[in-house]
Amino acid sequence: DAMVIQNPRYQVTQFGKPVTLSCSQTLNHNVMYWYQQKSSQAPKLLFHYYDKDFNNEADTPDNFQSRRPNTSFCFLDIRSPGLGDAAMYLCATSRRATDGYTFGSGTRLTVV
Amino acid sequence: KQEVTQIPAALSVPEGENLVLNCSFTDSAIYNLQWFRQDPGKGLTSLLLIQSSQREQTSGRLNASLDKSSGRSTLYIAASQPGDSATYLCAPHGSGNTGKLIFGQGTTLQVKP
């Protein structure tokens, strides 16, 4: 089945140690998004790629970066994780920016 | 800036009840609106997608309506079951250049056997 796959499901990292979260898709969608969802809060958009064009939200901290080496893969890099970055990170795709989104299962990040 | 409000924040009902979840949004310039389900500690599952030109969409026991001009959407769940217990999120899709989803806080539903 075509889908959005996030790895790993659970990630534990040390305070200040760089970490990378991965997202892949078999839908061949043009747009890929990264959302951050803290406990009991709504998902919040960090950034998205429309093809190779990167779009950062104005309030996304500089500590968060992203790479999209090809259509299928997108990575979220957290350069120096703090305790406040512990959250569920959700990857989503859409065929066009105006279409419905398909989400992955998420990566739960714990910072110790 | 789009703001999304979902009422109620939490709901507990006995099995078999029909129920309505409400969503309101401040900016009616949207392409579409999606309803999602989220189980604890899991990702989001899309339930229904309503295009801005549509009034409602149905999938099984779920029916979602959209009144774009008044900034409202409702999700109707018929004959609720314990397996429906989850958080339900409403997300209008803005029509700006980025076309992004903005989420409400969700309604957490518990259906008791």
Side-chain angles (χ1 to χ4, degrees):
Chain A
D1 286 343
M3 55 186 3
V4 180
I5 301 168
Q6 291 189 245
N7 285 306
R9 288 294 309 278
Y10 302 93
Q11 176 73 57
V12 180
T13 191
Q14 291 180 335
F15 183 95
K17 183 175 181 181
V19 65
T20 295
L21 309 182
S22 169
C23 178
S24 65
Q25 55 131 340
T26 60
L27 297 161
N28 204 32
H29 283 175
N30 294 315
V31 197
M32 295 187 76
Y33 309 82
W34 280 103
Y35 280 80
Q36 178 194 62
Q37 186 180 27
K38 295 187 177 180
S39 182
S40 300
Q41 295 186 18
K44 177 178 175 296
L45 182 64
L46 295 173
F47 27 59
H48 74 278
Y49 274 94
Y50 197 121
D51 292 328
K52 295 182 180 180
D53 293 332
F54 177 70
N55 297 272
N56 198 29
E57 292 300 299
D59 54 356
T60 298
D62 293 340
N63 197 27
F64 291 85
Q65 297 179 334
S66 185
R67 298 170 282 134
R68 189 178 185 186
N70 54 52
T71 300
S72 301
F73 284 87
C74 195
F75 300 98
L76 170 61
D77 300 309
I78 308 177
R79 289 192 296 184
S80 181
L83 298 178
D85 296 327
M88 173 75 85
Y89 289 89
L90 298 163
C91 175
T93 72
S94 64
R95 188 169 62 89
R96 300 172 302 176
T98 55
D99 289 334
Y101 288 26
T102 301
F103 279 81
S105 298
T107 294
R108 169 74 65 185
L109 178 68
T110 301
V111 182
V112 297
Chain B
K1 179 183 175 185
Q2 180 75 276
E3 294 183 2
V4 183
T5 303
Q6 291 188 243
I7 294 173
L11 185 61
S12 181
V13 300
E15 182 176 5
E17 275 205 5
N18 302 324
L19 50 99
V20 175
L21 309 183
N22 296 293
C23 171
S24 61
F25 47 96
T26 56
D27 185 353
S28 62
I30 62 172
Y31 288 122
N32 55 54
L33 183 144
Q34 268 182 284
W35 281 93
F36 293 89
R37 169 186 173 138
Q38 186 172 33
D39 292 289
K42 300 292 178 64
L44 305 183
T45 300
S46 182
L47 298 173
L48 290 163
L49 169 67
I50 312 176
Q51 298 295 340
S52 62
S53 58
Q54 296 176 320
R55 298 286 293 184
E56 64 179 71
Q57 276 285 349
T58 298
S59 176
R61 293 182 295 108
L62 304 179
N63 175 276
S65 67
L66 174 64
D67 184 344
K68 197 177 80 162
S69 61
S70 67
R72 294 180 188 277
S73 178
T74 61
L75 179 66
Y76 176 83
I77 303 176
S80 58
Q81 302 171 358
D84 295 331
S85 299
T87 296
Y88 291 81
L89 294 160
C90 162
H93 194 156
S95 60
N97 287 338
T98 58
K100 57 193 176 187
L101 287 185
I102 301 296
F103 285 88
Q105 296 273 56
T107 294
T108 299
L109 172 65
Q110 182 186 32
V111 181
K112 295 177 285 188

